[in-house]
Amino acid sequence: MKMQKKRYVLKFPAQSGDMPLSYHLVKDFDIRINILRAEVWPGKTGSLVLELEGTTTNLKNGIAYLEENQVSCEPLNKKITWDNARCISCGNCTAVCFAGALQMNPEKWELQFDPEKCIVCELCVPACPLNLFKIDFRDN
Ligand code: SF4
Ligand code: SF4
């Protein structure tokens, strides 16, 4: 069966914070989870950026399960674009990219961007003095 990998932004109310939602996604829906970003505080609302991998049916059922538990689940419909032709490789943006998507090549001392690692936290956008990062809204 064909596996799919998709990124989602989850937002959940305070009372869902302690529920074993990830456990059920893995055990009941056979979905692999990669947590890309987490802002969760016990007893408060929280949000997660997750990459979920599973069959189309399992992903659909897993997301329906989350929504039944008052967790909103939206596809991550944004990506970061980088105008590399104008980059001067000053390295400023690497300091804010905790996901490791922006790194300096130690041999050439050139910026390298790995979109696969990008969690669209948007911190690089204001960090670049030349304004070379843009947020691109797209359909998933
Ligand atoms: S949005 Fe920018 S800072 Fe955030 S992970 Fe992506 S490249 Fe790194
Ligand atoms: S901050 Fe801007 S100019 Fe500097 S390395 Fe990053 S993208 Fe290039």
Side-chain angles (χ1 to χ4, degrees):
M1 219 173 284
K2 193 164 175 261
M3 301 290 277
Q4 280 192 322
K5 215 187 253 187
K6 286 193 162 186
R7 293 178 173 192
Y8 294 91
V9 181
L10 272 58
K11 295 208 164 109
F12 44 90
Q15 63 270 28
S16 301
D18 299 327
M19 286 175 63
L21 297 171
S22 350
Y23 169 81
H24 285 291
L25 287 182
V26 174
K27 187 165 180 300
D28 301 341
F29 302 101
D30 198 19
I31 291 174
R32 281 191 213 159
I33 302 171
N34 184 13
I35 299 174
L36 301 173
R37 188 162 114 205
E39 289 171 5
V40 182
W41 299 274
K44 295 186 178 169
T45 57
S47 72
L48 288 173
V49 180
L50 298 180
E51 187 171 73
L52 303 180
E53 184 176 6
T55 64
T56 308
T57 306
N58 283 346
L59 285 177
K60 192 170 149 223
N61 292 341
I63 286 161
Y65 163 78
L66 290 173
E67 288 173 346
E68 279 161 20
N69 284 281
Q70 286 74 53
V71 178
S72 81
C73 192
E74 297 292 332
L76 184 59
N77 285 336
K78 291 189 284 186
K79 69 175 180 179
I80 288 288
T81 62
W82 167 49
D83 183 357
N84 62 339
R86 293 177 52 220
C87 176
I88 56 171
S89 292
C90 68
N92 268 9
C93 54
T94 62
V96 298
C97 184
F98 299 107
L102 295 167
Q103 291 189 341
M104 296 303 289
N105 178 316
E107 284 163 19
K108 300 182 191 164
W109 202 248
E110 277 177 7
L111 183 71
Q112 290 179 330
F113 174 44
D114 182 352
E116 284 296 307
K117 291 186 180 167
C118 176
I119 57 169
V120 202
C121 68
E122 302 173 20
L123 293 175
C124 55
V125 176
C128 177
L130 301 183
N131 201 21
L132 300 185
F133 295 105
K134 301 276 185 253
I135 303 163
D136 178 21
F137 293 84
R138 55 172 176 157
D139 289 333
N140 238 6

